[in-house]
Amino acid sequence: EELNNISPLRQLHLQRQRDFGGFSGPVPSFSTSQHLHDVDISGNSLTGAIPDDFMKVVRTSKAHSDYAYAKIDLSSNQITGSIPATFDDFVGLFINLAGNRISGVPDVLCDDDEEFMGGLVGNLTEHKCNAILCPPGTSSIIGRQSDMTNECTPCSGGTEQIRNKQAPFFGSLKCSPISGDRKVLEELHGLIFTGASEDTYWMSDNPICSWYGITCDDKKADTGVTQIKLESNSLSTDDSEKVTDLFFQLSDLERLNIRGNKGLSLKFDNVDFPERLTLLQVSATGLTSVAGIGKATSLKELHFTENDIAGPFLDEIFDLLSMERLYISFNKISGPLPTKIGLLTDLREFYAYTNEMTGIIPSELGNLANIENLVLGKNNFKGTLPASLNNLENLKEFSVYRNKALTGKVLDFSKATKLEKLDLEGNQFSGLLPNNFLGGLVETYTSNADNEIILHLADNQLVGTLPEGLADIKNLYLDIVGNKFQKIPQSFCKPSQSYWMSGKVGELDSCDAIACPQNRYSESGRISAADEECKRCGENEEAHSVGSYSCTKVDVEITALKKLYQDTIGDKWDSKDNWMDNSKPICSWFGVECSGGNQDNATITEINLPANSLDGTMPDMIFSLPALKTLNLKENSLFIPFDNIARAKTLETLYISDIDIVSIEGIGKAPALKELHLTANKITGEIPEDFYDLADTMEFLYIAYNSFSGPLSRKFGQFKNLKDFYAYDNEFTGPIPAEFAGLPNLRNLVLAENKFSGTISEDFSYMPQLSLFSAYRRLKAGPKLTGPLPSFSNVPKLEALYLDYNNLAGTIPPSFLKSSLSSKLRVTISHNLLSGKVPTELLSLNSLNIEMEGNKITQFDNRFCDNLSWMNGLVKDYDCDAFMCPPGFYGIYGRQNSTDSPCTRCDLSTNPTPYWGSISCDSVIDEKEILELLYNDCGGDDWHRNDNWLENDDICTWYGIECRDGNTVQAINLGANNLVGTPPGELFRLHQLHSLWLHSNPIDFRFKDIGDAKNLVELRLDSTGLSDIFGIGDATSLIKLDLKFNQISGAFPTELLKLDKLESLSLTDNNLSGGLPDFTSLDSLISLHLGSNRFSGEPTGFGGLKYLLNLDLSDNDLVGTIPKNFLRNISARKPIAVDLSSNNLSGGIPLELDRLEELVIYLRDNKFTELSPELCNEDNRDWNFDEVGMFGCDAIMCPPGKANYHGRHSAETSPCRKCASNTDLYGQITCDGEPVVKSSSTRLVRGFVGIVISSLFSGILWG
């Protein structure tokens, strides 16, 4: 279009450039060129339609010399559409459009333009438009009628339909016979090329044998397709059966290669294969079955690696008797390898790497006399190698890498004459290598330094010395580390072995490049660079074998394991095979892995005991294991001290999720830690300072589901190797540090459900490796992320972006996601404050699933709705509604994602919301009107405080109102403010309302429509006179609910058991009665207050609660004994307070509570008759705020014969006093029928306890 700026330009000739690359793209408009009169751009690759404003200034010029007798030649391009009717503005136009794909010539160009086409239009009496272009079904050598006699010639065929297929466009140069292969390829194009990366010449008039990926014997032919090669071309289909049938209708097809097209899975069960098909390459296409392949009997080469094929090896593959190359790696094929494999006697290459095959390796493989490559690595084969494999003379590569359970001796492979690679690594082969090992290799082959022979024998249990005969090999890569070889022959270390180990033996002039000698070690068992060394073992350490990864003290490792067993009640472990059995090597003990396999007795590299019922404290000597790389103790009732972690020199991976730790102080001393799993430990407080000492090594960090708080430190910017950081569901506050955006390797950053606020730095828009960014806030109240939405414009690998339920405002940037290359991009920016239009620049993305509902979006281009595959294909079913319901409509999700969630028209009389993506028909809510209603209905004039109410329009300045974005109500705190009457139900229409405090007011609160308050997480209605909570079960978002000091009566309200997000529930001081329910459904409960009611029955229903820290059942009518499973799932390490005082409980205190380390328990004024001394020993000294350590069992309950106001000894000045009338019961508070008088000091202690409990739990729950 820059040519438009050349004002004097009258002639432009750029024709016939296709052979040199040519011009492509849309036809230029030349709309502002003022004098252009002669244009020739023929013979290029221009596409699209001719613009309506083509040469507009020239056409509409008042100068006759401009608009008259123009010459335009656009022939032999790929132009589509109709000739614009605006060309009628020209006088005497001569235009050549032959050889394109023109679909129409307007009659207006032929009716009175007598001088068009050199006057031929005027001379013709009929078919005048033929002078411009021959119509479909006809042709001429120049694409039009050239004079009065040379007319357009009809194509052959009895019907117009047949003729039109031979010349389908205006201006055809010839009638092309319709080939069957062309029909097939054209139909395939429509089915699979929707998102293709390359489709040069497809659907053009060029011969199909010139189309991209198509090969024929004759390149200029339009039939005879012999090969299709369309690998990694982004092809996909929804009709696998049809596509498969079309491919195989090509009767001459010999080779089909569609590898790497993940959505192009074929189905072979109902097709007939071409007779000459010899190669089929369908790897990485999403294939789930090759059933039917047995009919392709001419196949010689079959590839279906990297697919999702599962189940037994398909028997019909053995019908392919001509098969020479079979590739089935990276699937999930299971069961045995059938013995029929021996029938494929032409087989030369068989790759079955990384499947799930089991059983023994069949001896019939020895029948494959032509086999050269036999790769069976990373399966689950077991047993010994069949001796028949020694018969394979042509074998070049054999691999059973990491099958782990293959045993027995290594074969000699002595008949193989030109073996290139033998990979037996990672099994349990044992014994000596045969003396004639590889004895059949021919001398001319082994003496040539260009022929590298690779032997991977590492990590087995081979012993003895290595065969001297290997020294005759000129270029050998000998991988023998991790075995039990005693020495390396001197003949392996001569100058003639300089090529060995890829030249490292010569370069380093040392056999250490093969393996470290005895009593020396390295991380890899050898050295590979001049600055590396095989280190000498330390004092009292040894390395028995060459190629050791570390030196060991066998007794240290055994001692450490035995102490782990003893300290964590090993007898109660779920699995403990071979543990403590001195006749079995420690490396065979359940969950223990060693570098030398399970028959070794040293060099522990992994301990894997997840979810195995370990209970106790891990001994710190575990961190002293010299070769330990992985420690997995997650999901146990286990405490781990980090005092000794600095000794864990090789520890790289630590799984300690969901165990009993409350702090990670000291973990920063770990010298080599790369991967740390800390999820679900409920750790509180800020991350300790020493943690940042892990910056140099940490790559994968998982701390989700804890209660870390405070700002997220900018020191994370030092973690340059960090790839994954998952911090979901913590209590971090403040801004998200921009330093994370500077981490060059970060792939996944998950910060959702914290309490971050402030803006997101635009620096996050420049992260080359980022795949996942998550910072949504669907549950938690408080300040949220604000400011503009970052563009994420230079994050090419982004696949998922979750920022919903924040306060991001402004418009969506035009450059949003512009560099994304993902074909499955998922974005949620819903329920923010975004406004304006959805930028049409997003249309350039390949695919997008984006949730935008719940914002203030006013414009949405209908072109988005043409992308039928977007929104996980929902656009195809629900059109634009799959994105957002339009203004005047609503849906339960603000969009339609199923037949049950349609967008429904609102009643226009209600003045519905004007925005896209509404979840209700409510008009734009006037929050000021709702608050005015609250003021008027609840006696606002008489409130104790009503500062600014009704006095200005800024509701965020009104007393008791907190806003999240300067104008949206987030919290109402009007407790103890003299509200009266019934608060209006319209309060629940404040959609961003998180917290509602109306406690200590004489109001008549109703729960009708509380389900509309989707974001309400905190509700305080204590001391309001409440007697009925009908409807509370709809408040499913609630986390904190306070209903104490009311008049609620009857059985426990079962509606409350529906509130499965509740963390705090208080019903203290009501009139509830009957038995206690099972609270298992409220599995998030941290605090439960049910004191001062009239509950009866036994104290059951709490065994399933895992996070409970505060339980008050005092002052009820509970009877029976405390169950043994009482609090069975509570962490032993975390502080818990339980108040069972003033009931009618009897019996003793279950010894199962002894495991709790920081229990505060009140038991006074019951009928207990037993208290085991085991509950009062040194292990329990921290109970009752260290009072058990000071006063023994009396700190729990005063014994029979004594009494105290608190029923226990709680201070130096408040001991248990003698009481002769109390002969049988523990924890009594009366003597001779009269209450024991409490002293002033007792009151002070009691007050202190209350303060401690309040600070301990209120801070956690009401923050």
Side-chain angles (χ1 to χ4, degrees), residues 299-506:
L299 273 181
K300 294 183 178 181
E301 188 168 339
L302 175 60
H303 302 249
F304 56 87
T305 63
E306 297 181 73
N307 279 301
D308 300 314
I309 297 172
F313 198 102
L314 190 65
D315 192 65
E316 57 182 293
I317 286 179
F318 304 121
D319 295 334
L320 307 177
L321 298 179
S322 298
M323 187 61 62
E324 296 177 3
R325 293 177 175 84
L326 179 59
Y327 302 83
I328 65 171
S329 299
F330 297 103
N331 281 285
K332 295 180 181 179
I333 298 170
S334 58
L337 178 61
T339 57
K340 286 185 178 181
I341 191 70
L343 298 176
L344 304 182
T345 54
D346 289 343
L347 203 59
R348 294 171 59 188
E349 298 178 9
F350 180 38
Y351 286 82
Y353 185 82
T354 309
N355 277 283
E356 299 175 1
M357 289 188 281
T358 57
I360 62 171
I361 295 176
S363 60
E364 285 75 9
L365 287 171
N367 298 338
L368 306 181
N370 297 304
I371 196 76
E372 296 177 357
N373 301 85
L374 180 55
V375 179
L376 304 174
K378 296 202 77 170
N379 279 278
N380 297 311
F381 291 117
K382 63 181 180 178
T384 60
L385 295 178
S388 61
L389 296 178
N390 277 335
N391 299 327
L392 302 177
E393 297 180 7
N394 293 305
L395 194 64
K396 293 181 179 179
E397 178 184 11
F398 177 72
S399 172
V400 286
Y401 170 80
R402 297 283 176 191
N403 272 270
K404 296 185 178 181
L406 289 171
T407 59
K409 295 186 175 182
V410 173
L411 302 177
D412 57 47
F413 296 96
S414 58
K415 290 188 179 180
T417 59
K418 292 187 177 182
L419 189 70
E420 297 173 0
K421 182 177 182 180
L422 178 63
D423 192 347
L424 308 180
E425 180 180 337
N427 287 286
Q428 299 180 36
F429 294 117
S430 58
L432 301 168
L433 288 177
N435 287 331
N436 62 337
F437 184 58
L438 306 186
L441 297 179
V442 296
E443 191 274 336
T444 54
Y445 177 65
T446 60
S447 62
N448 188 337
D450 292 333
N451 298 328
E452 183 182 34
I453 297 172
I454 299 173
L455 301 181
H456 286 294
L457 305 175
D459 297 336
N460 280 283
Q461 299 173 40
L462 301 172
V463 299
T465 57
L466 293 155
E468 291 279 355
L470 295 177
D472 296 332
I473 300 175
K474 187 73 172 178
N475 188 352
L476 178 65
Y477 191 95
L478 181 61
D479 185 6
I480 58 168
V481 299
N483 281 283
K484 298 181 179 180
F485 294 116
Q486 299 303 302
K487 66 178 182 178
I488 298 174
Q490 281 300 114
S491 58
F492 289 11
C493 307
K494 295 179 179 179
S496 57
Q497 267 64 45
S498 62
Y499 289 99
W500 280 32
M501 307 305 289
S502 300
K504 294 298 181 182
V505 170

Side-chain angles (χ1 to χ4, degrees), residues 105 176 196-197 278 361 424 476 621 684 709 749 900 1049 1118 1133 1166 1171 1190 1216 1248 1250:
V105 178
S176 302
S197 303
T278 59
I361 295 176
L424 308 180
L476 178 65
M621 64 187 309
T684 59
S709 58
L749 181 58
D900 297 327
S1049 60
L1118 301 176
R1133 312 295 166 204
N1166 278 284
L1171 177 59
M1190 294 188 288
C1216 296
F1248 172 73

